[in-house]
């Protein structure tokens, strides 16, 4: 069974700092990996999708890397803003399913 | 498209009562997923359907839980009888192609069983 771990569980930074969120998974036989954002009381919004053959994906201030062999992914958010405050979830796709980590709750202080 | 629509957004009920959660997937999506999110266990896949047929229900916690998809535009998740430990946020997601794992999530139903 795929186990997904996210570290740290919570993170608080001043505005302007870069954010680094980590995700690890136990089974490297994956189709892809996604990073989602979840705001309080809301659903999940997909931020980035990395296929298993890719090493990274970028969208604006967001960059996600994937090292399938070591079972790790990192989400970088450059020049953080208060609007980036949310919970970020890592999800590993395999066998037609998504396995989620517990998330990292980010607070960006103005 | 309005996205995945779930109803109700909030449900408060008493232990022992039947609860029905509803989901309307994005039109044209052949796959539908039901998830449960709790503080203790995070997001867990309960069941998923392909073309209205249940494919994997191994995540359904107990016989008290059942899910149906009578047509391509509607699915229900029923809990009967409900218990306080069922309190959670239940999400529905749909996908055009499951193997790509690109799923679109609804806003969720927050269930409180007293």
């Amino acid at each position: 069974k795929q186990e997904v771990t996210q570290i740290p569980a919570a993170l608080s930074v001043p505005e302007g700092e870069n954010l680094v969120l980590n995700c690890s998974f136990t089974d490297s036989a994956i189709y892809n990996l996604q990073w989602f954002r979840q705001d309080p009381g809301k659903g999940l919004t997909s931020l980035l999708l990395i296929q298993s053959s890719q090493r990274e994906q970028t969208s604006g201030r967001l960059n996600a890397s994937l090292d399938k062999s070591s079972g790790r992914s990192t989400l970088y958010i450059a020049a953080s803003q208060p609007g980036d405050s949310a919970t970020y979830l890592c999800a590993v796709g395999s066998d037609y399913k998504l396995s989620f980590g517990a998330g990292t709750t980010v607070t960006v202080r103005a | 498209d309005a996205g995945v629509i779930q109803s109700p957004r909030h449900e408060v009920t008493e232990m022992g009562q039947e609860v029905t959660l509803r989901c309307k997937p994005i039109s044209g999506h052949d796959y539908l997923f039901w998830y449960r999110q709790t503080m203790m266990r995070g997001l867990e896949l309960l069941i998923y359907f392909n073309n209205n047929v249940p494919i994997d229900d191994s995540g359904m916690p107990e016989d008290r839980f059942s899910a149906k998809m009578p047509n391509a535009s509607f699915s229900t998740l029923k809990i009967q009888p409900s218990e306080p430990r069922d309190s959670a946020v239940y999400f529905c997601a749909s996908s055009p192609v499951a193997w790509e794992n690109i799923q679109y999530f609804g806003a969720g139903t927050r269930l409180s069983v007293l």
Side-chain angles (χ1 to χ4, degrees):
Chain A
K1 179 186 173 185
Q2 181 74 267
E3 300 288 341
V4 183
T5 303
Q6 290 188 246
I7 294 173
L11 191 57
S12 179
V13 299
E15 182 176 5
E17 262 198 26
N18 297 331
L19 290 163
V20 180
L21 310 180
N22 297 298
C23 172
S24 62
F25 48 94
T26 54
D27 187 349
S28 61
I30 67 171
Y31 294 144
N32 51 36
L33 184 143
Q34 291 182 70
W35 285 92
F36 288 86
R37 170 181 172 141
Q38 185 176 25
D39 292 287
K42 300 290 179 64
L44 279 69
T45 301
S46 181
L47 297 174
L48 289 168
L49 169 70
I50 311 175
Q51 300 292 354
S52 61
S53 59
Q54 297 176 316
R55 296 286 300 215
E56 67 176 342
Q57 276 287 349
T58 298
S59 176
R61 294 184 295 112
L62 276 60
N63 174 275
S65 65
L66 173 64
D67 185 340
K68 202 172 73 163
S69 60
S70 67
R72 295 182 182 181
S73 176
T74 302
L75 177 66
Y76 301 90
I77 304 177
S80 62
Q81 304 168 358
D84 295 329
S85 298
T87 297
Y88 292 83
L89 296 160
C90 167
V92 175
S94 55
D95 295 333
Y96 304 94
K97 301 177 187 178
L98 288 176
S99 299
F100 284 85
T104 295
T105 298
V106 171
T107 302
V108 181
R109 307 186 303 270
Chain B
D1 200 312
V4 176
I5 300 173
Q6 292 187 246
S7 64
R9 291 295 314 277
H10 303 275
E11 177 79 37
V12 180
T13 190
E14 292 187 348
M15 183 174 62
Q17 296 297 307
E18 178 179 293
V19 175
T20 300
L21 311 180
R22 297 171 177 79
C23 174
K24 176 179 167 53
I26 294 172
S27 177
H29 284 192
D30 292 335
Y31 292 83
L32 184 140
F33 304 81
W34 281 101
Y35 292 88
R36 178 172 68 176
Q37 186 177 38
T38 62
M39 289 293 292
M40 290 295 295
R41 301 173 68 91
L43 257 169
E44 303 173 283
L45 177 65
L46 300 178
I47 184 172
Y48 81 92
F49 295 82
N50 177 24
N51 291 322
N52 313 336
V53 176
I55 302 300
D56 185 347
D57 65 355
S58 59
M60 296 286 264
E62 305 171 31
D63 292 345
R64 297 184 297 106
F65 286 70
S66 62
K68 294 182 180 179
M69 193 163 185
N71 57 62
S73 59
F74 183 66
S75 176
T76 60
L77 178 67
K78 186 177 293 187
I79 308 172
Q80 166 62 20
S82 59
E83 296 182 3
R85 60 194 168 114
D86 301 330
S87 298
V89 181
Y90 291 81
F91 287 102
C92 175
S94 70
S95 174
V97 181
W99 68 266
E100 290 185 336
N101 302 119
I102 299 174
Q103 299 179 17
Y104 299 83
F105 282 76
T109 294
R110 182 173 296 276
L111 173 65
S112 298
V113 183
L114 307 177

